[in-house]
Each structure stands twice: as structure tokens, then as C-alpha cells.
Amino acid sequence: MTMAVSELVRLCKLRLTPVAGEEALQQAKWIVGAVIGAEPAALGVHAWMQATQEQIAIIGELLERRLTGEPLQYILGEWEFMGLPFYVDARALIPRQDTELLAETAIKRIHERGYQSCLDLCTGSGCVGISIAKRANIRVSASDISEEALELAKENAALNEVDVAFFKSDLFQQIDGSFDLIVCNPPYLTLENMQSLQKEVAFEPKNALYGGGDGLDYYRKIAWSYQKHLNQGGALLLEIGSTQAETAAALFFANTTVLCDLGGNPRVLIVEA
Ligand code: GLN
């Protein structure tokens, strides 16, 4: 039995509606597209193509995974950040579009100020540090406490053909030397946030999400120790939760600026050296 792609998309959308709501059609296109080897936006062109029985069976298995709440990105195994491809799986947090502001701000500063060296702390999938290495001419080091995340980040550096030096380190503990720029998207969800996680987010590593009772544990630790790792004239750029701008900024006895994301929510804290 074969089935036209348009009919498959329609059936997948119906099946996904309970977990994906308004995104069901888009997610159906992603899943069908991934299996038949077409961009979701180009599926119209393939509407009358017949999917084979084998493809239909694979799509069925992917749908079942999605119906358990597993995020679409983990099911697809690859996701885009800053227009670049990244492997994604349960070893690290899925790159969020909100985090592009952190990477964009870093790249802009590197160009404006001629920074030469950058450290990406808590690199996870590597998406921030790798985007910076790809889009700016700068030496990038990246670290994480999780060996599994570092393995994934190394695969992503190879995928994007960039040279990044990776280190296993609990924040600055195993980091030697100093940098012109330090970027970091630390875990910052509060206990309350963790107790009401979206079903999808619960599939992501808890240690990449939880920032202690008030969500600020990592900012506190960074505030104690960043100065000896930051060169004169340099900057520390931190992603923050939308309600943390003032409390996080108050931890740093330095010039700080807050930038908002496209949704108008505070998202990046800049700390000047
Ligand atoms: N922005 C993420 C979320 O809302 C959290 C990311 C983080 O803790 N760094 O799920």
C-alpha cells in the first residue's frame, strides 16, 4: 500500500493535534518531509508523490514518539540555530530561537571591538560558541560540566567545520586564562518553573534547565569568579530568564545593560569588564 504525500500530511496533522495544537500541520510537514527527504516548505511540490509502505511505517513510529510528548527536534535529530544546522538529542538542551539574541550580540561586539578570544561557558549543544566561531573571526573555547553535552558539541563543531577548543569544566573551575568575551546561557529555571514544565521540556536534561530555587545559582557563582577570566575592555554576556533582569544584574558590581528579545522580554544581560 502506498499513500499520496498530501494525504499522509493530512492524517499526521489529525494525529498530532492533541499534542501539538495549532502547530500540528507544521509538525506533520516536518516529520513527513524528514522521512521522504523534502523540505517542509516544499512539500506542496511532492503532494502527489506516493510514499512507500516502508516510509509510512517510519512516519508511524515517529508520530508515536511525538505523541508521548518527545520534542519534535529530538525526533528529527537536527535543528537550525542562527541559520546553521545542529544535531540535537537528549544529551543537551534544544537550541532556542530566543538564544539567537545572545549569539547575535556577541558577534556584533566582536566586529565592533575587535575582540580576539571568546569563551562559551555551559555550551550544551555548542550552538552559541559554534555560531560565533562560524560568523566571526575569533578564537573560541567552549566548556560544559556534562561530558555527554561536550560529545554532542564536538559533533556539531565538525558538522559546521569550525575549530573550537572544548573543555570539561564546572563553570570556571577548570578554566585557565582570560578572554575578551565570555558568553553563557546557564540553567536558570526556578523550582516553581521546574514543577510546571511543558511536557516537551521535561524530555530535556534537568541539569541544563534548573538554576536552583530562585533560578539564580549560576549567576551568583559566575559573579564571584568571572573577573579574573575577563580581559580589560571585554564583556560578559549572559542569557537570563524574562523575570530575572534586575535580580541578576544586581549580582554584578559593574556596568550592566539588559537587551530584550523579539517578544519584548529581557533576554540578555551585558556586564562590562
Ligand atoms: N529558555 C529555556 C526554557 O524556557 C531555559 C533555558 C535555560 O535554563 N538556560 O525552557
Side-chain angles (χ1 to χ4, degrees):
M1 189 193 73
T2 61
M3 194 186 286
V5 164
S6 58
E7 181 62 5
L8 250 180
V9 169
R10 195 184 68 80
L11 291 174
C12 288
K13 178 198 164 207
L14 284 178
R15 201 79 173 93
L16 287 172
T17 299
V19 281
E22 285 180 1
E23 287 180 22
L25 177 60
Q26 197 49 41
Q27 296 198 1
K29 288 182 179 173
W30 274 107
I31 289 177
V32 173
V35 175
I36 70 162
E39 287 291 318
L43 274 185
V45 180
H46 302 273
W48 302 110
M49 185 182 129
Q50 295 290 313
T52 65
Q53 202 163 359
E54 202 183 2
Q55 288 172 327
I56 296 169
I58 296 170
I59 290 168
E61 281 164 25
L62 301 185
L63 279 183
E64 288 310 313
R65 285 172 61 187
R66 185 67 194 91
L67 288 170
T68 67
E70 187 174 348
L72 177 72
Q73 293 89 336
Y74 283 169
I75 293 169
L76 298 173
E78 206 174 303
W79 199 242
E80 215 177 83
F81 179 82
M82 296 288 287
L84 301 170
F86 288 90
Y87 297 126
V88 290
D89 59 39
R91 288 177 286 177
L93 214 65
I94 297 164
R96 266 83 165 147
Q97 200 178 0
D98 288 338
T99 303
E100 292 188 352
L101 182 64
L102 180 68
E104 281 162 4
T105 308
I107 293 163
K108 189 159 163 250
R109 283 221 154 203
I110 294 164
H111 289 146
E112 281 170 5
R113 312 208 176 182
Y115 289 161
Q116 305 281 310
S117 58
C118 169
L119 170 67
D120 176 18
L121 266 192
C122 310
T123 192
S125 66
C127 64
V128 175
I130 290 168
S131 306
I132 293 171
K134 190 85 187 172
R135 304 261 189 257
N137 185 18
I138 190 165
R139 266 193 333 275
V140 177
S141 303
S143 68
D144 204 285
I145 192 171
S146 156
E147 237 155 90
E148 290 192 317
L150 285 171
E151 286 305 315
L152 177 62
K154 285 176 193 167
E155 292 165 23
N156 278 322
L159 177 66
N160 284 287
E161 299 174 323
V162 292
D163 199 10
V164 171
F166 289 101
F167 301 91
K168 177 172 157 59
S169 176
D170 181 0
L171 293 176
F172 290 110
Q173 272 183 31
Q174 282 78 33
I175 303 288
D176 288 328
S178 61
F179 304 84
D180 292 339
L181 183 68
I182 300 173
V183 294
C184 180
N185 175 15
Y188 55 69
L189 297 189
T190 65
L191 185 59
E192 207 184 322
N193 295 150
M194 294 302 289
Q195 284 161 348
S196 54
L197 285 184
Q198 236 185 304
K199 207 171 176 188
E200 285 77 5
V201 182
F203 278 77
E204 297 183 273
K206 301 262 172 311
N207 63 355
L209 291 165
Y210 183 49
D214 65 356
L216 298 173
D217 280 5
Y218 290 87
Y219 303 110
R220 277 188 207 96
K221 289 183 187 166
I222 291 169
W224 292 332
S225 47
Y226 77 97
Q227 270 163 331
K228 63 174 182 290
H229 295 286
L230 198 57
N231 292 337
Q232 202 48 250
L236 165 66
L237 308 184
L238 297 163
E239 177 164 317
I240 49 169
S242 57
T243 60
Q244 293 167 330
E246 278 159 32
T247 43
L251 298 170
F252 295 88
F253 298 102
N255 262 343
T256 58
T257 320
V258 173
L259 303 179
C260 291
D261 61 23
L262 290 174
N265 296 307
R267 186 61 58 196
V268 170
L269 177 67
I270 304 179
V271 182
E272 309 287 346

